[in-house]
Amino acid sequence: MMHLRTMASLAATLFVAAACTAPPPPSGSFPPNPRRADAAPVTLIDTVPTGQRCIVTGGKAQPLTVTTPRLVALHEYGDAPVIDCFGDGFLRQRKAVLANKSKRLAERLIVPGVIDPAFAPYPKREKSSGLGDFPAWVRIRLQRNSFKTIAERDQYYAAEARWIAAAWDTIEYRLKQECQSRLTQAQGLILLDTQCKKAFRALADRRAADRATVEVNRRQSTIR
């Protein structure tokens, strides 16, 4: 019994001594957050509504089937991975996600499919991980294909059309901000550079195409 007390006393003494000699933790100092380049980048694959199935294909990798939401290393599927999402009661949606080749929004807008309301803003090129730059998330909206009444269907697709219009308005606002610094003046006229002109035309075409898709899906849906 005395031996146990002696051991306990010695351990307590050593603990106090170690605590006194160890340097105190730094005050208000924390290790920096890891940067994007410190690890292989991943993209959050999700659907609206969430909890649906998606198949990721591309490059030399084997197809990956996931249930959303799921983090996926898209760089493993080449420069243009394809995400194909589906679920019971919804129309199938398929989108290609191209790696970011430019930090300018105006340059990316004229490449078909690079800018999409389903994609988060891409990281800047100077922060490239070296494994291909893809958006932080891809959130694919799955539109319903079955309704109880015509009124219910039309109300649903009117809301979808409003969401798409608002999403493209946000992209247009970002483009205007970028192109504002590239305005030139000639003979009293304020002119956009050629790249921005092409980008605004491409944006208008993409917005019209998405609106048309909503209308096609509305007509293809069924009334139970």
Side-chain angles (χ1 to χ4, degrees):
M1 197 71 172
M2 288 295 293
H3 180 66
L4 290 176
R5 289 200 193 94
T6 303
M7 292 286 288
S9 177
L10 178 60
T13 302
L14 291 174
F15 175 78
V16 172
C20 292
T21 57
S27 176
S29 177
F30 298 93
N33 291 326
R35 295 178 301 174
R36 181 181 175 88
D38 291 338
V42 291
T43 295
L44 177 66
I45 306 299
D46 203 0
T47 52
V48 179
T50 194
Q52 309 303 317
R53 302 286 276 176
C54 293
I55 302 174
V56 184
T57 57
K60 297 180 180 180
Q62 292 294 317
L64 174 67
T65 301
V66 304
T67 299
T68 59
R70 172 78 173 270
L71 291 170
V72 177
L74 287 183
H75 64 86
E76 297 177 355
Y77 298 86
D79 286 341
V82 173
I83 303 175
D84 185 8
C85 298
F86 51 92
D88 291 338
F90 298 97
L91 294 166
R92 196 162 189 150
Q93 294 285 342
R94 188 172 183 269
K95 291 183 181 291
V97 188
L98 279 68
N100 180 19
K101 300 296 184 182
S102 169
K103 65 181 180 181
R104 284 199 63 195
L105 177 61
E107 292 175 354
R108 286 182 278 138
L109 261 168
I110 64 174
V111 181
V114 171
I115 300 299
D116 192 291
F119 306 159
Y122 284 75
K124 293 182 179 180
R125 289 295 295 171
E126 57 265 27
K127 295 181 180 178
S128 171
S129 66
L131 294 173
D133 287 323
F134 293 97
W137 49 257
V138 175
R139 188 168 289 118
I140 296 177
R141 295 177 74 86
L142 296 179
Q143 294 174 350
R144 290 173 55 188
N145 64 1
S146 180
F147 299 88
K148 293 181 179 179
T149 65
I150 293 176
E152 180 189 17
R153 178 200 64 185
D154 291 349
Q155 184 178 11
Y156 171 85
Y157 275 103
E160 287 295 296
R162 287 193 296 271
W163 182 90
I164 287 173
W168 279 110
D169 285 348
T170 299
I171 295 172
E172 184 177 27
Y173 175 75
R174 289 171 50 211
L175 180 62
K176 287 178 179 178
Q177 285 186 312
E178 179 181 283
C179 290
Q180 188 72 28
S181 62
R182 294 179 174 271
L183 294 176
T184 57
Q185 188 166 358
Q187 298 179 351
L189 299 175
I190 298 177
L191 305 175
L192 284 174
D193 72 352
T194 303
Q195 194 77 53
C196 285
K197 289 180 181 178
K198 292 179 180 178
F200 278 110
R201 286 197 294 269
L203 188 149
D205 290 344
R206 288 296 314 281
R207 177 159 42 198
D210 280 357
R211 286 173 176 169
T213 298
V214 168
E215 179 59 20
V216 169
N217 289 347
R218 184 187 74 85
R219 296 184 182 187
Q220 287 182 345
S221 61
T222 59
I223 306 299
R224 297 195 299 270

